Structures are given as C-alpha cells and as structure tokens.
Amino acid sequence: MNPNCARCGKIVYPTEKVNCLDKFWHKSCFHCETCKMTLNMKNYKGYEKKPYCNAHYPKQSFTMVADTPENLRLKQQSELQSQIRYKEEFEKNKGKGFSVVADTPELQRIKKTQDQISNIKYHEEFERSRMGPSPSEGSEPERRNSQESGGYRRAEQQQQHHSQPGATVYQQQQQPPPSQSYGYKEPAPASSQRNAPAGGGKRFRAVYDYNAADEDEVSFQDGDTIINVQQIDDGWMYGTVERTGDTGMLPANYVEAI
C-alpha cells in the first residue's frame, strides 16, 4: 500500500517517493518551509521534522535556567568546593614566595639560555681571577690614591694661601682693573643682591684676608675690626670695616667674635 505525502496528503508512488524526517514526500513537495525552494537529501536541514534550506534554518537560542532549589544547592556546593580548593593551594604555597608556573616550551628555552649565560660569566670570572688583575684594574687604586693626595695638597695650599699676608697683595695684582663707567652703572643681578639688615650688632675681628667678589661685599685684612655685625645666614654676615668704613656682606668663616 502506498503512503500519503506529508505535504499535500496525496498518495506517493515509488517513482516519486522521498523518505526523510520519518515521513514520505513527493519530490516536488519536499521543499523549504519558508522560501519553497525544492530540496534533496544533500542540501536539506531538518527542524522539528520539517525541511528547511540553509539560509532559512531556524536559529536556536538558549533559554534561561530557572533558579530552582536544586540548582541553587548545586551552585552553592560548587562555590564551597572552589573555596576549599583555593585555601588548600594557598596553604600549600604559603611561604614559598612564588606561584606555580606552567613549564611551557618557551619557558624551557629561556631557562636554558639563562643557564648558558650564567656558565659563560662564571668561566670569565674564573679566568680573570686565575690570570690576576689586568693593568687597567691594577692602576685604578693607584690613580684614586694619587687623586686623593693631589686634592689634599691643593686644600693645604689654599689654607696656607689664606693664612699668608702676602697672598692678598698677589690676589689684588691678579685682579683686572675695574671697567670705567661713563655715567651709567649696570645693576647687579637679582640673584646676587642681598638684603642688608638694620643697624646695630656685635664686633668681630678678621682672621684671614678677604677680597670682595661682588658689589655688595667688603674687603678686609687679617686683624681688621668689623663693627655693627648682623648674622644673615649660616655662611654670611653684614657689617662695617672700622679701618676703611666700607659696609657690606662678609663671609662668616673669615672672622671671629671679639
């Protein structure tokens, strides 16, 4: 007995019968449910026992899972197991100071390269220690000692130069003559100008000769008395040289209190 077509309901004869999706179809009735394109056994796609073409095949969408008591219990159990596993890993690695790193081929290559570099550096240090220090390395301490001794001698010469009375005359001869000004005097830079304090102060005696290096400073010789001295900061004072009557800034380490 011949079956009926699932599309049109008419009898399907063996010469035109298509058996698919648990149903029988005429060849002309086996087409897409949406665009009516005729299909065959190679290009059809079945959905709910109905044929579709590739373009109109229904897209399956995921449905939400209801938060049933059973699902909530499984979720809570999974979280507890995750926390237990995390605490076990933490206690196991606590105090080691590092975390477990996967031993990938790239890490193995880097480790091998570092080992080779370490071996090369070790052999270089070993050969250098066996051969002794090179000439440049051996001369380095001597050069440092010579520089330190030269600096000490220069500091000693400068101290003797300040303590000798004739050094002042030599310095005055070496200084260039002041430039002549024709009614115009260039103002001093703002950084070199210092504010003078009010009058009144202590008396000091010069222990070294000093030549003024700026317009607001005063020159004096060893033994001069400086009056009306005011402290500006840790390194400078302001006062008047009693012998010359000049008033200005003077270094604090060149005088002593009377």
Side-chain angles (χ1 to χ4, degrees), residues 13-257:
Y13 296 97
T15 56
E16 57 181 357
K17 182 173 62 176
V18 176
N19 186 3
C20 185
L21 298 175
D22 298 333
K23 297 178 182 180
F24 296 96
W25 315 75
H26 291 106
K27 291 183 179 179
S28 59
C29 292
F30 191 67
H31 55 72
C32 177
E33 292 286 332
T34 303
C35 64
K36 309 303 179 183
M37 183 182 73
T38 302
L39 302 173
N40 53 40
M41 299 297 293
K42 295 182 179 180
N43 61 0
Y44 86 96
K45 286 189 175 183
Y47 181 77
E48 294 183 353
K49 294 187 178 184
K50 294 181 181 180
Y52 290 90
C53 65
N54 189 27
H56 296 96
Y57 183 74
K59 305 295 183 182
Q60 296 181 359
S61 59
F62 298 98
T63 58
M64 296 180 61
V65 179
D67 288 336
T68 61
E70 181 65 19
N71 290 335
L72 293 175
R73 185 185 65 81
L74 294 174
K75 181 180 178 181
Q76 186 177 5
Q77 185 176 359
S78 300
E79 291 178 354
L80 291 174
Q81 291 177 354
S82 177
Q83 293 178 1
I84 293 172
R85 180 75 178 273
Y86 171 75
K87 290 181 179 179
E88 289 178 355
E89 294 292 337
F90 176 76
E91 293 295 334
K92 187 184 300 181
N93 296 324
K94 185 171 65 175
K96 293 183 179 180
F98 62 90
S99 59
V100 179
V101 181
D103 196 7
T104 61
E106 181 66 18
L107 292 177
Q108 291 180 359
R109 185 186 64 81
I110 295 174
K111 181 179 179 181
K112 186 176 180 181
T113 303
Q114 292 177 350
D115 292 340
Q116 291 176 355
I117 295 174
S118 178
N119 291 333
I120 293 172
K121 189 173 182 181
Y122 170 75
H123 286 296
E124 289 180 355
E125 295 290 340
F126 177 75
E127 294 294 336
R128 188 180 295 112
S129 62
R130 188 178 65 177
M131 299 299 294
S134 60
S136 59
E137 294 178 352
S139 60
E140 183 65 23
E142 298 178 358
R143 189 183 304 112
R144 189 182 298 109
N145 293 334
S146 62
Q147 291 178 357
E148 293 177 355
S149 60
Y152 175 76
R153 286 197 296 271
R154 285 194 298 271
E156 186 177 0
Q157 291 175 0
Q158 291 178 0
Q159 185 176 3
Q160 294 177 358
H161 176 71
H162 285 298
S163 60
Q164 292 177 358
T168 304
V169 180
Y170 177 75
Q171 291 179 357
Q172 293 178 355
Q173 292 177 357
Q174 292 294 329
Q175 290 181 354
S179 58
Q180 296 180 358
S181 59
Y182 298 92
Y184 173 77
K185 183 177 181 181
E186 184 178 359
S191 60
S192 63
Q193 294 180 356
R194 305 182 181 90
N195 296 325
K202 301 179 180 179
R203 295 169 59 90
F204 283 77
R205 182 177 69 251
V207 295
Y208 301 105
D209 298 335
Y210 180 75
N211 292 321
D214 205 343
E215 294 181 357
D216 57 349
E217 298 178 3
V218 293
S219 301
F220 50 84
Q221 297 180 1
D222 185 11
D224 285 348
T225 302
I226 294 90
I227 60 175
N228 298 330
V229 178
Q230 296 287 335
Q231 187 76 31
I232 302 299
D233 53 25
D234 293 340
W236 290 91
M237 296 180 174
Y238 186 86
T240 302
V241 181
E242 189 176 31
R243 178 177 58 83
T244 61
D246 296 333
T247 302
M249 307 293 297
L250 61 144
N253 57 348
Y254 277 62
V255 296
E256 63 180 5

Side-chain angles (χ1 to χ4, degrees), residues 3-19:
N4 295 331
C5 178
R7 179 79 63 188
C8 64
K10 296 180 180 180
I11 296 174
V12 181
Y13 296 97
T15 56
E16 57 181 357
K17 182 173 62 176
V18 176
N19 186 3

